[in-house]
Structures are given as C-alpha cells and as structure tokens.
Amino acid sequence: MLIDSWMIAVLIAMTLCGAMGGAGLKAYANSRKKLHVLMGLGFYGTGALLNIVLLKFPPLTVVLPANALTYVWTLIIARFAFKEAVGPLRWIGVACIMGGLCLLVL
C-alpha cells in the first residue's frame, strides 16, 4: 500500500506535535510558567490523537518507524528555539533519518 499525500501531511503534523510537546515541557522546566506545561501537554495529546487516526490507514510498519521524524523536529527546535549547539554528527544523523524515511514512505 502506497502512502497518500494526506497521510504524509498527517504524519508530519503528528511528529511535529510530538516535538512541540517536548519543547513545551522543556520551556516549562526553564520558566515554570503553567502555560508552557499546558501547551506541551496539548501538543503531546494532539500528536497522540493524530497517531491514532493515522494508524487506521498505512501499515504499522510504516507509521511507527516514521515517528523518527520527531527526532528531526526536536533537533531543529532545540537549535533555533532554545539556541542549543548542534554538531555536525547530529546533522548527519538527521540526514540518515530523512533518507530512511524516504525509503520507508515513498
């Protein structure tokens, strides 16, 4: 079964929500603002709901490994939102994840 473009869009949204959930909780850990923890939990919940929807269509062997895209979003968020240093080996890791995802879903 090929994965349709709308499924790819949902997969991207699901993984982005997961990464944003983690970012919200990190922001809460740094600031102790309740809004951050609520945003983090909200994003995690949204990502979980999208995961449930997505699991109905493509095979489990596609959806679960594709969750690795969350690592890519997390690295990008950490670099640009939290100004964390990201070395070249991590960027190479991102390239490997993206290559694997292309083989998996296309």
Side-chain angles (χ1 to χ4, degrees), residues 5-6 11 21 26 33 40 52 60 68 81 85 88 105:
S5 58
W6 72 269
L11 183 104
K26 177 171 175 63
K33 293 182 180 176
I52 291 167
L60 184 65
V105 299

Side-chain angles (χ1 to χ4, degrees), residues 10-49:
V10 173
L11 183 104
I12 289 169
M14 174 191 70
T15 57
L16 183 57
C17 283
M20 291 293 291
L25 297 181
K26 177 171 175 63
Y28 172 74
N30 292 338
S31 71
R32 294 291 193 213
K33 293 182 180 176
K34 290 180 184 175
L35 177 63
H36 290 148
V37 76
L38 292 175
M39 287 174 46
L41 293 173
F43 276 116
Y44 269 140
T46 302
L49 291 174

Side-chain angles (χ1 to χ4, degrees), residues 42-60:
F43 276 116
Y44 269 140
T46 302
L49 291 174
L50 290 173
N51 196 356
I52 291 167
V53 168
L54 196 59
L55 283 169
K56 183 174 178 159
F57 300 100
L60 184 65

Side-chain angles (χ1 to χ4, degrees), residues 2-3 8 101-106:
L2 290 175
I3 197 165
I8 293 173
L101 287 172
C102 287
L103 293 174
L104 188 69
V105 299
L106 298 178

